[in-house]
Amino acid sequence: MCQNYNNTINSLIANAITITVMESCTGGLVQSMLTDIEGVSAIFKGGFVTYSNEAKIAAGVPSDIIAKYGVYSAECAEAMARAAQSHFNSLFAIGVTGSTGNIDPNNPDSVVGEVYYCILKGNIAYSYHYTTSVDSKSRGDIKQEYADQIFQSLSTIIEKERLQ
């Protein structure tokens, strides 16, 4: 688990900085980890788990983004973050999409062990692409690795903001 995970969330709580999440391949794990921290209800107003393309579109991701760039793309991750941010009126928002342990039967171009995520702070988008070997890892292990990467990136952004 990300070393700065508790400190990162506690920093958001201490500064009353709101956050929301729209997840796909992590299946709600990022939101679960957020809600493991006492006091997070002051800053986490809600989020989405949008495993299917239809759910992403229903939650506000433009269908033309998925059609043009694919569901596994930096553009889709950013659109997911923007849709969640708009819905919950939060300063920070995270969008995460990718594949875990198998090729998506609906998308043969998917890459196993690949995740795209975007962290928004206001209008500033920080986009990330991360890949991992899935050999001998469970889906749960892969999801945890993705979530750890997301929280590490969030921690880095928050630390960078403190220095400015």
Side-chain angles (χ1 to χ4, degrees):
M1 186 176 292
C2 174
Q3 294 177 24
N4 297 325
Y5 160 66
N6 288 335
N7 292 340
T8 299
I9 303 311
N10 284 322
S11 177
L12 294 175
I13 294 167
N15 293 291
I17 297 171
T18 55
I19 189 167
T20 188
V21 184
M22 185 182 295
E23 298 178 74
S24 184
C25 63
T26 47
L29 181 59
V30 173
Q31 293 170 77
S32 178
M33 290 172 68
L34 280 168
T35 60
D36 285 345
I37 305 298
E38 188 173 334
V40 79
S41 62
I43 61 155
F44 179 60
K45 303 302 180 193
F48 298 97
V49 177
T50 56
Y51 213 65
S52 69
N53 291 355
E54 295 82 9
K56 288 173 186 65
I57 293 164
V61 174
S63 60
D64 61 324
I65 294 288
I66 294 171
K68 183 174 182 179
Y69 300 104
V71 70
Y72 306 123
S73 66
E75 292 83 2
C76 184
E78 182 174 337
M80 291 169 71
R82 291 200 184 281
Q85 183 183 51
S86 175
H87 185 83
F88 290 103
N89 193 28
S90 63
L91 179 60
F92 276 91
I94 299 169
V96 56
T97 183
S99 62
T100 51
N102 63 303
I103 297 294
D104 181 342
N106 297 316
N107 186 344
D109 294 328
S110 64
V111 176
V112 174
E114 178 178 65
V115 68
Y116 293 88
Y117 62 98
C118 178
I119 300 172
L120 294 177
K121 180 186 180 269
N123 279 330
I124 300 169
Y126 298 88
S127 292
Y128 301 88
H129 176 224
Y130 176 77
T131 58
T132 188
S133 170
V134 299
D135 294 341
S136 70
K137 292 180 186 171
S138 70
R139 290 174 70 86
D141 291 341
I142 298 163
K143 288 167 38 176
Q144 186 65 59
E145 187 172 338
Y146 290 169
D148 289 346
Q149 287 296 314
I150 292 165
F151 279 108
Q152 185 60 52
S153 298
L154 180 61
S155 177
T156 300
I157 293 166
I158 290 169
E159 191 58 36
K160 177 184 166 192
E161 294 293 323
R162 276 193 202 133
L163 300 176
Q164 294 180 354

